[in-house]
Amino acid sequence: MRILRSFFQLLVLILLFAINVQAQNNTSTKEQKKEQLKQLLESKNYIFVAQSAYTASGRMIQLTSEYFLKIKGDSLESHLPFFGVAFNAPFSSTVSPLSFISSDFNYSMVESKKGRFEITIRLNEPDDPNVINLSVSPGAYADLRVISTNRQAMSFYGEVRPLEKK
């Protein structure tokens, strides 16, 4: 009986040790992934792929085509849809106002207390939209908000991925 109890105690100790080691490995893996994501966002070589859009009125639209915001160094390419009210729009425009290429913008990133990366892109050219806010979770899922002077704001949900090397 005493041998059985000693064996059981030893088994419990081994099990607790294995669980502790596994938890430490999971924590270090999460930290490594978060650090890799931070480096990706700081490198400015990534793409935000939109999966759904949210209008200012709260309507959610699942996106079936590939819509994106691509940051490649000092270049920004936006190919996003617009669903909403425009207060001032060009006559007979057939192109989405959120489809443009710019190299005149300011890029800043901070890490929030909750571990998210908050990126603010202030556009100088084109002059509308004005600001793009990208909030990225440690798992690389992101919310993108486009703020405009001449139309209602739009939000998108999707994920951040590294740019494919060609």
Side-chain angles (χ1 to χ4, degrees), residues 67-69 76-90 92-102 123 125-132 146-154 156:
Y67 292 102
F68 61 87
L69 178 78
L76 178 142
E77 181 181 354
S78 175
H79 179 65
L80 297 168
F82 178 73
F83 309 99
V85 175
F87 309 120
N88 182 11
S92 72
S93 177
T94 58
V95 178
S96 169
L98 303 182
S99 288
F100 59 88
I101 297 174
S102 177
L123 294 160
E125 186 65 36
D127 60 354
D128 195 45
N130 308 47
V131 179
I132 298 172
V146 181
I147 301 168
S148 185
T149 303
N150 296 323
R151 51 193 59 84
Q152 289 178 322
M154 284 285 303
F156 300 90

Side-chain angles (χ1 to χ4, degrees), residues 5-122:
R5 187 182 330 184
S6 296
F7 177 73
F8 181 71
Q9 289 173 343
L10 181 63
L11 186 63
V12 168
L13 281 173
I14 291 171
L15 185 62
L16 288 174
F17 178 75
I19 290 171
N20 187 28
V21 167
Q22 182 65 30
Q24 288 176 352
N25 286 342
N26 286 344
T27 302
S28 65
T29 302
K30 285 181 183 178
E31 289 299 318
Q32 288 172 345
K33 287 182 179 179
K34 185 176 177 181
E35 187 59 34
Q36 289 172 346
L37 178 63
K38 182 177 181 179
Q39 290 173 1
L40 175 68
L41 297 173
E42 287 175 340
S43 76
K44 296 193 234 176
N45 281 305
Y46 61 89
I47 186 169
F48 165 80
V49 179
Q51 297 167 346
S52 56
Y54 296 87
T55 65
S57 64
R59 187 173 148 219
M60 194 259 300
I61 300 160
Q62 288 295 332
L63 302 175
T64 55
S65 298
E66 183 157 323
Y67 292 102
F68 61 87
L69 178 78
K70 186 186 299 184
I71 308 285
K72 188 172 183 182
D74 292 335
S75 177
L76 178 142
E77 181 181 354
S78 175
H79 179 65
L80 297 168
F82 178 73
F83 309 99
V85 175
F87 309 120
N88 182 11
F91 183 70
S92 72
S93 177
T94 58
V95 178
S96 169
L98 303 182
S99 288
F100 59 88
I101 297 174
S102 177
S103 59
D104 190 5
F105 61 92
N106 298 324
Y107 182 98
S108 64
M109 182 180 90
V110 295
E111 186 174 348
S112 73
K113 291 180 182 177
K114 294 183 179 181
R116 293 182 71 89
F117 297 102
E118 306 294 337
I119 297 164
T120 302
I121 301 169
R122 296 196 182 280

